[in-house]
Amino acid sequence: MKESLTFLTTLTITPYQRRHLQSVRDLLFHSTLVHTHLDWYETDAWLDSGDVCMRLGWNRGHLVGLLATSRPLNNTCWVRLAAIHDYADQRAVLYALWRDLTAELRTLNVHTVALLAVRDWITGYIPAMGFVYGEDVITLARFGHDVPPPLADRPTIRVAELRDLERMADVDQAAFPPPWQLSLDEIRQAHRISSSCTVALKDEKIVGYQLSTLYFDGAHLARLAVAPDVQGMGVGGALLGDVLGRFFRRGIYTMTLNTQTSNMRSRRLYSRFGFQPNGYDLPFWSAQL
Ligand SMILES: CC(C)(COP(=O)(O)OP(=O)(O)OC[C@H]1O[C@@H](n2cnc3c(N)ncnc32)[C@H](O)[C@@H]1OP(=O)(O)O)[C@@H](O)C(=O)NCCC(=O)NCCS
């Protein structure tokens, strides 16, 4: 008890500044209690992106913990980065970081903080921070070159260009509810590292897009979104069939993707195209501030 009281009086919480970068890298490298959910960013690039609300915990000049969320979008943000030193009072550090960070998030009008439990350790700590389990994000996979033929009235599909990104962000934010929406900056970064990004047009207007990446032995459909007013009219299926064809022509016959357990509309579409759960499920949690 005495030890942890001493520890708490020496724990200092500060905002992140660029001069702390090396300490952050060291903690992320050496600690076993690390949570990273950065999607399309490498850690350094994300820290530099300006899309960050972050706190550092220091004990006598040593970095013992860090906690960071994305910048809010529609009153919601994601826990993107967390790490606690293996020999720190882990609960005390994490909760002190959370208290300090949530004070800033409240001033930014954040109502919901979302977290994808990519590593198990964090689920032992987050209920006491107010997080509640929501559902699983599941991974679906398919292999082979059979796809259903396109439906009639197929939209025009072409490769996305830089000038399309703003409209893609609009479609994304209309199609998905928070916290699943992407900001324009996230779409820009996802587009930069994508292996295939296409848009669907009806009457020359972008009404849907898909964005896929390549990994060591297959493709990953990272994003598929269709504007709400044309959903159910074959646009999603057309984008999916088209991108599968693009990968087949490059000799790539495996594709994975993620969706929420409760997203039945997407699951029906994916099942029609031969996708099946592969067991890589991640729990989604959220906290109301
Ligand atoms: C999920 C989403 C991408 C589907 O796109 P969509 O354009 O609405 O879907 P489609 O019109 O292509 O599909 C409608 C139906 O036609 C079927 N279909 C589509 N293409 C087909 C084809 N080539 N052959 C046979 N059936 C087809 C689908 O299976 C679906 O069947 P259902 O009536 O049993 O559900 C879209 O609803 C959306 O953007 N939702 C919000 C965001 C989201 O959830 N994205 C995916 C999560 S990762």
Side-chain angles (χ1 to χ4, degrees):
M1 184 63 182
K2 200 169 167 204
E3 244 176 43
S4 91
L5 278 179
T6 315
F7 174 79
L8 278 175
T9 54
T10 56
L11 180 67
T12 315
I13 307 293
T14 67
Y16 169 75
Q17 293 177 3
R18 198 158 198 287
R19 66 192 160 91
H20 302 132
L21 180 60
Q22 192 54 48
S23 302
V24 167
R25 286 185 187 139
D26 289 346
L27 184 65
L28 290 170
F29 183 77
H30 291 294
S31 173
T32 53
L33 302 185
V34 173
H35 164 89
T36 44
H37 173 209
L38 299 178
D39 286 337
W40 299 286
Y41 287 94
E42 297 294 332
T43 310
D44 281 15
W46 185 69
L47 290 170
D48 265 348
S49 70
D51 184 34
V52 181
C53 298
M54 184 160 177
R55 289 295 183 276
L56 305 178
W58 304 88
N59 188 18
R60 301 178 207 279
H62 295 286
L63 185 64
V64 291
L66 60 90
L67 184 64
T69 66
S70 54
R71 286 254 149 223
L73 178 64
N74 290 327
N75 311 105
T76 306
C77 61
W78 284 90
V79 175
R80 294 281 181 210
L81 208 54
I84 309 294
H85 194 289
D86 289 351
Y87 298 113
D89 180 339
Q90 290 149 3
R91 260 169 225 285
V93 173
L94 191 58
Y95 298 165
L97 288 164
W98 174 247
R99 265 195 307 279
D100 212 86
L101 186 62
T102 47
E104 179 186 349
L105 297 177
R106 282 195 182 93
T107 66
L108 297 172
N109 267 327
V110 171
H111 302 160
T112 307
V113 182
L115 185 148
L116 198 62
V118 283
R119 298 262 306 272
D120 280 346
W121 70 271
I122 204 155
T123 55
Y125 296 84
I126 54 179
M129 291 153 66
F131 281 86
V132 176
Y133 168 77
E135 61 176 320
D136 277 2
V137 169
I138 55 173
T139 305
L140 309 178
R142 80 183 298 283
F143 178 77
H145 49 67
D146 295 329
V147 286
L151 300 176
D153 195 22
R154 190 175 175 273
T156 306
I157 294 180
R158 64 161 171 78
V159 170
E161 297 168 11
L162 283 179
R163 65 187 163 94
D164 299 329
L165 298 184
E166 278 187 27
R167 173 65 191 154
M168 285 160 54
D170 289 345
V171 168
D172 192 282
Q173 290 169 25
F176 285 94
W180 306 101
Q181 302 162 328
L182 293 182
S183 67
L184 178 56
D185 283 344
E186 288 170 319
I187 289 191
R188 211 172 261 136
Q189 174 65 10
H191 176 254
R192 217 173 268 143
I193 62 141
S194 65
S195 175
S196 169
C197 183
T198 50
V199 288
L201 296 101
K202 272 183 179 277
D203 301 326
E204 296 179 29
K205 192 174 174 205
I206 292 175
V207 291
Y209 81 98
Q210 73 73 33
L211 192 147
S212 302
T213 51
L214 263 190
Y215 59 102
F216 59 98
D217 63 353
H220 182 73
L221 179 72
R223 210 68 185 168
L224 177 66
V226 174
D229 53 334
V230 300
Q231 286 178 8
M233 296 164 68
V235 175
L239 281 162
L240 186 53
D242 178 82
V243 68
L244 283 165
R246 286 171 194 263
F247 281 117
F248 297 162
R249 292 195 283 282
R250 295 160 69 176
I252 297 157
Y253 299 103
T254 300
M255 181 177 262
T256 55
L257 57 84
N258 303 108
T259 190
Q260 307 106 268
T261 314
S262 64
N263 190 341
M264 291 318 293
R265 181 165 224 172
S266 74
R267 291 184 66 181
R268 280 200 307 274
L269 176 67
Y270 297 143
S271 155
R272 176 97 60 171
F273 278 77
F275 284 89
Q276 308 229 331
N278 69 1
Y280 289 106
D281 303 341
L282 292 173
F284 162 75
W285 294 68
S286 64
Q288 302 303 315
L289 297 189

